[in-house]
């Protein structure tokens, strides 16, 4: 087990580069199952969740070659149509492999997916299962696993009662080989969905409306494969922007797309954090004073739940009272208890709302990373804090941020990776 040791009160400067989006790769890898041809994925990030996804894909028969940031995947023959628990239990996005596998083989056995514990109990997959049924599949639920079967998938209509990112993407990938037309309503609109649809359309799919609430898919007989460049990770971009803001530093973020974090940038302006931006860069300027500003997480293009934890840290440095309203997940505010241990003044009103009174001095503590986004938030808090912070369970952070300590060191964060 490894930990991060961070000596705080850091003042940062320089440039930090954004890697390819985790939540885009986690969809393009399953999409590779739709064709026998080789897919070439560029700007490939080296993070643990992706390693878990490639392990799963190899178990299904994929040949994967990695050369720096270029990854090629060929699945000429699908070896099996079950997702083994030893792979699927390790990450939530394993559910993304079910639809394409169903479309290719007609039957899939899989366990409930693993992943961050950020929703009550097991994070639900009801929308996925209902979606498969809407396309003519039978779903069988057992204690430890599910079996989805469809001799033939046929187009159907499905309305998402909750807008779901992976649910929308799962339906895109399942419906493109179904016979007939599928109409999806109340779809999620995240940029990663648009990217996935564009890639599939370039390779023979007929998807219309991705990025809007209604998507129409005309089934085709065959999908080919091609080249796909992963978009910059918008959550990593936002995380670095908040790091710069919270440490009151000048920090330039490169290889990013500021357009995809418009909600955060609008909120930062309201808190008094100034920045310059270009097409693929963002420069955060040192703020003299940060002012508290309330947020409510929302599906894209609203304020992303994945940036809520870092933003809550920023609010500990802001003057005034900020209400953080986490709408999407009911366990994502629990980490604020750790900020309180560091000296923050935060009151949890209920699982979805917390009040942050600031500014407060933070102090180094020994803490454990509860999940990916809360983990990086604690690293940001540690960079501001007085004294030394130890963060354990950093596998959670490695799941989504590539070699984060090396990249943070290069801009002045005093962070080291050590064995526990
Ligand atoms: N939901 C259901 N039933 C389902 C699926 C989801 O009720 O079958 C609910 C969830 O419990 C949640 C809401 O729908 O309350 C939205 O969840 P969504 O399905 O959109 O989340 P997701 O697709 O599982 C993706 C990202 C998450 C990100 C959310 C919200 C991937 C692989 N994951 O998850 O990313 O937080 O969208 O934007 O794309 C992360 O990167 O740290 C992360 C958790």
């Amino acid at each position: 087990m490894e930990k991060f040791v961070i000596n705080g009160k850091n003042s940062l400067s320089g440039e930090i580069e954004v890697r390819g989006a985790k939540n885009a790769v986690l969809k393009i890898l399953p999409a590779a199952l739709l064709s026998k041809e080789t897919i070439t994925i560029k700007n490939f990030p080296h993070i643990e969740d992706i390693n878990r996804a490639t392990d799963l894909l190899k178990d299904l028969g994929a040949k994967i070659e990695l050369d720096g940031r270029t990854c090629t995947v060929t699945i000429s023959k699908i070896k099996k149509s079950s997702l083994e628990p030893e792979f699927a239990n390790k990450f939530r996005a394993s559910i993304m492999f079910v639809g394409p596998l169903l479309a290719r083989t007609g039957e899939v056995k899989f366990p409930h997916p693993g992943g961050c514990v950020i929703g009550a109990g097991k994070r639900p997959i009801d929308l996925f299962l209902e979606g498969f049924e809407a396309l003519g599949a039978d779903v069988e639920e057992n204690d430890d696993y599910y079996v989805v079967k469809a001799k033939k998938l046929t187009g159907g209509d499905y309305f998402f009662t909750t807008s779901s990112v992976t649910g929308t993407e799962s339906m895109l990938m399942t419906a493109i080989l179904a016979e007939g037309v599928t109409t999806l309503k109340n779809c999620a609109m995240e940029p990663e969905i648009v990217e996935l649809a564009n890639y599939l359309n370039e390779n023979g799919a007929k998807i219309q409306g991705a990025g809007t609430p209604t998507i129409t898919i005309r089934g085709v007989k065959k999908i080919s494969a091609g080249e796909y460049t992963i978009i910059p990770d918008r959550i990593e971009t936002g995380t670095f922007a908040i790091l710069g803001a919270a440490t009151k530093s000048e920090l330039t973020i490169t290889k990013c797309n500021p357009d995809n974090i418009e909600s955060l940038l609008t909120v930062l302006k309201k808190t008094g954090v100034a920045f310059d931006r270009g097409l693929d860069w963002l420069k955060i300027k040192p703020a003299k004073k940060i002012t508290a500003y309330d947020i409510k997480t929302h599906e894209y293009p609203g304020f992303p739940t994945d940036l809520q934890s870092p933003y809550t840290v920023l609010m500990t440095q802001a003057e005034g009272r900020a209400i953080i309203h986490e709408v999407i997940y009911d366990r994502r505010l629990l980490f604020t208890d750790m900020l309180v241990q560091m000296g923050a003044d935060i009151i949890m009103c209920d699982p979805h709302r917390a009040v942050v009174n600031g500014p407060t001095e933070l102090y180094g503590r020994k803490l454990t990373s509860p999940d990916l986004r809360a983990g990086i938030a604690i690293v940001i808090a540690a960079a501001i804090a007085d004294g030394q912070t130890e963060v354990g369970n950093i596998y959670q952070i490695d799941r989504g941020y590539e070699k984060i300590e090396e990249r943070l060191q290069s801009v002045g964060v005093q962070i080291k990776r050590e064995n526990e």
Side-chain angles (χ1 to χ4, degrees):
M1 291 280 270
E2 292 177 317
K3 65 181 175 187
F4 285 142
V5 178
I6 302 146
N7 287 306
K9 293 255 176 213
N10 299 155
S11 177
L12 315 189
S13 61
E15 289 187 7
I16 189 159
E17 214 178 84
V18 171
R19 299 287 183 244
K22 165 176 88 72
N23 288 344
V25 194
L26 285 172
K27 324 303 164 52
I28 202 70
L29 287 173
L33 282 164
L34 291 165
S35 165
K36 291 182 179 168
E37 296 172 13
T38 300
I39 170 166
T40 303
I41 309 169
K42 298 203 160 162
N43 197 26
F44 197 80
H46 301 294
I47 50 178
E48 289 297 338
D49 261 16
I50 304 302
N51 294 339
R52 300 294 77 77
T54 51
D55 288 346
L56 176 60
L57 212 43
K58 280 182 199 158
D59 190 55
L60 296 173
K63 196 173 148 238
I64 300 182
E65 280 171 18
L66 200 53
D67 178 11
R69 298 207 172 276
T70 301
C71 176
T72 54
V73 182
T74 316
I75 313 166
S76 37
K77 190 160 180 283
I78 293 175
K79 224 168 59 184
K80 54 166 107 167
S81 62
S82 52
L83 307 184
E84 303 303 337
E86 63 173 302
F87 304 109
N89 282 346
K90 291 189 175 142
F91 65 116
R92 162 88 180 167
S94 61
I95 186 74
M96 299 304 300
F97 290 77
V98 178
L101 208 48
L102 178 67
R104 280 285 298 278
T105 66
E107 178 168 341
V108 191
K109 181 178 171 195
F110 62 101
H112 198 91
C116 275
V117 185
I118 50 182
K122 287 177 180 171
R123 281 164 71 189
I125 59 165
D126 53 313
L127 303 174
F128 294 80
L129 302 179
E130 284 173 18
F132 299 141
E133 283 172 340
L135 300 178
D138 287 325
V139 176
E140 186 189 310
E141 284 191 51
N142 297 289
D143 285 347
D144 301 330
Y145 61 92
Y146 304 83
V147 180
V148 186
K149 287 184 197 166
K151 280 210 179 83
K152 188 177 122 191
L153 289 169
T154 42
D157 293 347
Y158 186 67
F159 186 98
F160 288 96
T161 46
T162 305
S163 146
S164 162
V165 179
T166 45
T168 303
E169 293 160 330
S170 169
M171 283 300 274
L172 285 192
M173 290 195 274
T174 315
I176 51 174
L177 292 178
E179 196 179 293
V181 178
T182 298
T183 306
L184 307 175
K185 291 193 177 154
N186 198 25
C187 297
M189 302 190 288
E190 271 64 5
E192 293 78 17
I193 300 173
V194 178
E195 288 295 309
L196 178 66
N198 287 346
Y199 167 79
L200 294 171
N201 280 344
E202 276 165 24
N203 290 286
K206 292 202 161 77
I207 304 168
Q208 276 184 333
T212 75
T214 303
I215 300 180
T216 309
I217 304 146
R218 284 177 195 283
V220 294
K221 291 231 156 44
K222 196 173 157 254
I223 290 286
S224 55
E227 199 175 288
Y228 178 86
T229 301
I230 303 292
I231 51 168
D233 196 310
R234 64 195 162 91
I235 303 303
E236 191 169 271
T237 308
T239 303
F240 294 155
I242 292 173
L243 171 72
T247 53
K248 297 189 171 161
S249 305
E250 182 168 296
L251 188 63
T252 303
I253 302 153
T254 59
K255 291 203 177 171
C256 62
N257 181 356
D259 286 353
N260 284 346
I261 53 161
E262 205 63 57
S263 55
L264 172 72
L265 295 180
T266 305
V267 168
L268 283 182
K269 243 188 235 165
K270 291 183 185 287
T271 66
V273 174
F275 53 84
D276 289 332
R277 66 193 270 187
L279 273 182
D280 62 355
W281 59 271
L282 177 68
K283 183 190 265 187
I284 299 293
K285 298 192 175 159
K288 284 201 180 68
K289 179 182 156 192
I290 303 169
T291 307
Y293 190 79
D294 299 346
I295 57 149
K296 185 173 178 182
T297 62
H298 197 277
E299 293 84 11
Y300 189 84
F303 195 98
T305 168
D306 295 341
L307 288 176
Q308 175 267 110
S309 332
Y311 183 79
T312 302
V313 174
L314 179 67
M315 286 301 97
T316 68
Q317 304 308 298
E319 290 194 21
R321 190 187 74 169
I323 300 172
I324 309 293
H325 193 161
E326 170 56 65
V327 176
I328 317 280
Y329 295 114
D330 51 13
R331 292 201 189 172
R332 261 205 166 152
L333 279 173
L334 293 182
F335 92 104
T336 54
D337 177 49
M338 297 193 187
L339 298 181
V340 171
Q341 288 178 47
M342 295 178 85
D345 178 354
I346 302 178
I347 300 155
M348 276 276 280
C349 310
D350 60 47
H352 287 282
R353 282 172 309 161
V355 175
V356 187
N357 293 303
T360 44
E361 181 89 46
L362 299 181
Y363 301 94
R365 295 281 181 266
K366 279 192 181 175
L367 300 164
T368 301
S369 171
D371 68 69
L372 167 61
R373 306 301 174 190
I376 199 71
I378 293 167
V379 170
I380 297 174
I384 313 164
D386 188 11
Q388 192 174 77
T389 299
E390 285 186 17
V391 187
N393 194 26
I394 57 171
Y395 173 79
Q396 289 297 331
I397 301 174
D398 292 334
R399 285 183 40 223
Y401 296 91
E402 180 184 313
K403 291 194 180 147
I404 193 66
E405 75 282 13
E406 291 178 16
R407 296 157 71 209
L408 292 183
Q409 280 160 9
S410 74
V411 291
V413 179
Q414 292 182 44
I415 178 169
K416 282 183 301 186
R417 184 184 289 264
E418 289 184 1
N419 284 321
E420 290 228 64

